[in-house]
């Protein structure tokens, strides 16, 4: 009987070991499967995160392009109008300068549109480099540009306009065919009863056309 009990005990131990081994093998398989699934989930999350970052970057680039004039590199009319629409009060003395390039049609008709495009591009470069980087400069139309100046005096505005004129004069001294001639007008919030940027822009635009009329009258008198 003792031998029989010993045999049964041995069989029981063997069966238990086999069962334990099977459980361990199964647990190992489950563990490996879980590790694979977790790794797969992490990879998918990383992929989605990278895709989201790429998408955000593309959206920023598209948004940037939507507000940039590709010919001059300046903010375009849409950006200017958005800025004007949201600028509804003056916390500090604010000025708008409107620059209008003269004789663009004459250049297009006589020298071709490539020459006209070059004229616009060079004029935009002169305005942007003449005006401190902290101030906004944008292209408002085909031959019209605006500068928005914050915390300035009338003397500051006139100094900036003089700088643009001097840069244009230097350009004309070296240019062989294409010359820059422009009219300008500005409006300062401290000199106006206007309560928002749109009305201030209208006043600056009106002053620019008065300047253009004076320039034309002066040319005719000569």
């Amino acid at each position: 009987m003792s031998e029989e009990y010993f045999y049964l005990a041995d069989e029981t131990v063997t069966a238990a070991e086999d069962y334990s081994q099977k459980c361990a093998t199964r647990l190992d398989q489950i563990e490996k499967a879980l590790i694979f699934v977790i790794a797969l989930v992490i990879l998918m999350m990383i992929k989605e995160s990278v895709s989201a970052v790429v998408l955000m970057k593309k959206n920023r680039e598209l948004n940037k392009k939507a507000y940039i004039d590709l010919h001059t590199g300046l903010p375009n009319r849409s950006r200017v109008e958005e800025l004007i629409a949201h600028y509804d009060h003056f916390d500090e003395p604010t000025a708008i300068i409107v620059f209008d390039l003269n004789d663009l049609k004459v250049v297009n008709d006589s020298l071709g549109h490539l020459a006209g495009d070059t004229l616009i591009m060079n004029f935009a470069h002169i305005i942007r480099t003449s005006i401190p980087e902290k101030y906004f400069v944008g292209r408002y139309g085909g031959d019209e540009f605006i500068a928005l100046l914050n915390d300035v005096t009338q003397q500051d505005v006139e100094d900036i306009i003089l700088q643009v004129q001097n840069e244009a004069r230097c350009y004309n001294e070296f240019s062989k065919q294409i010359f820059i001639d422009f009219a300008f007008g500005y409006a300062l919030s401290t000199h106006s009863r206007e309560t928002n940027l749109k009305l201030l822009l209208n006043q600056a635009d009106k002053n620019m056309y008065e300047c253009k009329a004076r320039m034309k009258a002066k040319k005719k008198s000569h």
Side-chain angles (χ1 to χ4, degrees):
M1 289 182 63
S2 61
E3 289 180 1
E4 187 176 345
Y5 286 134
F6 179 79
Y7 175 77
L8 290 174
D10 187 56
E11 287 291 321
T12 302
V13 170
T14 301
E17 288 178 348
D18 290 343
Y19 179 74
S20 298
Q21 184 62 40
K22 289 180 180 178
C23 288
T25 301
R26 183 170 297 178
L27 286 174
D28 184 60
Q29 292 174 344
I30 292 172
E31 183 180 5
K32 289 179 180 178
L34 286 174
I35 291 173
F36 176 78
V37 171
I38 292 171
L40 187 62
V41 170
I42 292 173
L43 287 174
M44 290 178 64
M45 290 175 65
I46 292 173
K47 181 181 178 182
E48 290 298 321
S49 298
V50 171
S51 298
V53 170
V54 171
L55 183 60
M56 287 174 62
K57 184 178 179 181
K58 287 183 178 180
N59 286 338
R60 284 198 300 268
E61 290 174 352
L62 289 172
N63 189 52
K64 183 179 179 181
K65 288 180 179 179
Y67 286 113
I68 294 296
D69 175 55
L70 298 180
H71 186 59
T72 63
L74 296 177
N76 60 17
R77 186 183 184 93
S78 295
R79 180 67 186 99
V80 173
E81 290 180 341
E82 183 181 80
L83 179 66
I84 292 170
H86 290 86
Y87 204 109
D88 57 357
H89 62 282
F90 304 112
D91 294 326
E92 53 194 6
T94 302
I96 281 190
I97 310 174
V98 176
F99 298 95
D100 189 89
L101 189 59
N102 292 331
D103 302 323
L104 178 60
K105 186 177 186 305
V106 174
V107 173
N108 284 332
D109 293 343
S110 60
L111 300 175
H113 286 276
L114 181 60
D117 290 342
T118 301
L119 182 64
I120 291 171
M121 185 173 60
N122 289 336
F123 185 48
H125 177 73
I126 286 172
I127 296 173
R128 181 63 279 179
T129 55
S130 299
I131 298 175
E133 191 67 28
K134 63 181 179 178
Y135 299 129
F136 176 88
V137 175
R139 186 181 182 187
Y140 194 51
D143 54 3
E144 192 168 279
F145 299 82
I146 75 164
L148 174 61
L149 317 176
N150 304 104
D151 193 19
V152 290
T153 64
Q154 181 174 349
Q155 187 61 53
D156 293 330
V157 177
E158 292 177 354
D159 287 344
I160 286 174
I161 293 171
L162 182 60
Q163 180 63 26
V164 176
Q165 289 174 323
N166 289 338
E167 290 295 325
R169 190 177 299 111
C170 290
Y171 171 86
N172 290 336
E173 288 176 358
F174 291 96
S175 179
K176 301 298 181 181
Q177 280 186 308
I178 306 174
F179 298 98
I180 288 177
D181 185 42
F182 65 93
F184 65 88
Y186 71 87
L188 194 64
S189 62
T190 53
H191 295 171
S192 174
R193 295 180 180 178
E194 312 303 1
T195 57
N196 60 57
L197 203 58
K198 179 63 176 176
L199 296 174
L200 200 66
L201 174 60
N202 290 341
Q203 183 60 50
D205 202 46
K206 178 182 177 182
N207 294 339
M208 182 275 294
Y209 278 107
E210 290 176 357
C211 175
K212 186 178 283 286
R214 290 194 300 270
M215 295 176 74
K216 287 182 178 179
K218 187 177 180 179
K219 285 183 180 180
K220 287 181 180 180
S221 65
H222 288 98

